[in-house]
Amino acid sequence: SDEILKRTADSYRRMRNTVRFLLGNLHGFDPALDQVAPADLVELDAWAIARTRELQAEIITAYRDYAFHLIYQKVHNFCIVDLGGLYLDVLKDRLYTTPAKSHARRSAQTALWLVCQDVLRLLAPVLSFTASEAWGHLPGKPAESVFLAGLPTREKPRDADALEARYGRLFEVRAVVQGKLEEA
């Protein structure tokens, strides 16, 4: 129906716009020179990377189970809830107000670069043209093509559970506040 096509187009647009935001904020970032070591990342950036690792594990399981609908749903929810719902909103101030070579900005860009890379790799089998085009704009890409890069295989950081507990609570508080604002 037209409604199903409209919802599908809207969810695709949201994922594409998330990738555009990630890529757009990597201007002037050279991973070989500017990447921040994992131990030196701002805590919120470390959380975003840890959350991406959790997504990676879920998606790889879905690929193995041929559950392609879950892949699309999980990446969509990640883009809308985890990234768009909090992380990218909070990050905008840091990206737009701190000096270009500051530690805070480079930490954010490191996280954006790693998250974008992983999201594109996870989406490549189901949104091949979008992933391929976006990969062409990724600085310091590890392979010439997203299809040659393979699925991400990074391990979950050791402190991922502590980060999830802390920032998961932040999500809960934000949801309550947003609910109260909508009621008013």
Side-chain angles (χ1 to χ4, degrees):
S1 73
D2 286 341
E3 183 60 30
I4 292 172
L5 290 174
K6 183 178 175 185
R7 279 195 310 248
T8 302
D10 185 53
S11 66
Y12 166 74
R13 190 176 309 107
R14 287 174 177 235
M15 287 188 291
R16 186 192 71 209
N17 286 341
T18 299
V19 170
R20 283 181 56 199
F21 180 87
L22 297 172
L23 289 172
N25 283 286
L26 290 174
H27 178 74
F29 178 75
D30 180 356
L33 302 173
D34 303 323
Q35 188 174 4
V36 175
D40 298 330
L41 288 169
V42 170
E43 189 176 66
L44 184 63
D45 300 328
W47 170 83
I49 294 168
R51 180 61 193 105
T52 305
R53 299 302 178 258
E54 290 175 27
L55 173 73
Q56 164 193 310
E58 295 169 8
I59 298 293
I60 290 174
T61 299
Y63 274 121
R64 287 187 182 129
D65 295 343
Y66 298 100
F68 299 115
H69 65 288
L70 288 178
I71 296 162
Y72 192 84
Q73 288 172 355
K74 287 181 180 291
V75 174
H76 178 261
N77 287 340
F78 176 72
C79 289
I80 302 309
V81 176
D82 295 336
L83 293 181
L86 178 68
Y87 180 65
L88 298 180
D89 277 347
V90 172
L91 201 62
K92 287 176 187 174
D93 290 336
R94 194 169 9 134
L95 287 169
Y96 301 157
T97 62
T98 58
K101 295 184 187 262
S102 70
H103 174 76
R105 181 175 170 81
R106 292 303 189 202
S107 175
Q109 288 180 312
T110 298
L112 293 177
W113 181 69
L114 291 169
V115 168
C116 187
Q117 213 181 119
D118 288 355
V119 166
L120 292 176
R121 289 174 176 198
L122 293 170
L123 282 175
V126 293
L127 289 176
S128 56
F129 294 111
T130 301
S132 179
E133 182 178 355
W135 188 264
H137 297 284
L138 187 69
K141 49 190 170 276
E144 190 58 36
S145 167
V146 68
F147 305 109
L148 297 175
L151 291 173
T153 57
R154 292 182 187 85
E155 291 188 25
K156 187 174 163 182
R158 281 179 276 147
D159 58 349
D161 293 333
L163 290 169
E164 185 58 38
R166 189 167 21 262
Y167 287 98
R169 178 78 177 121
L170 183 60
F171 274 120
E172 291 170 12
V173 170
R174 185 176 179 166
V176 169
V177 170
Q178 285 179 331
K180 297 288 184 192
L181 290 174
E182 290 173 3
E183 290 174 6

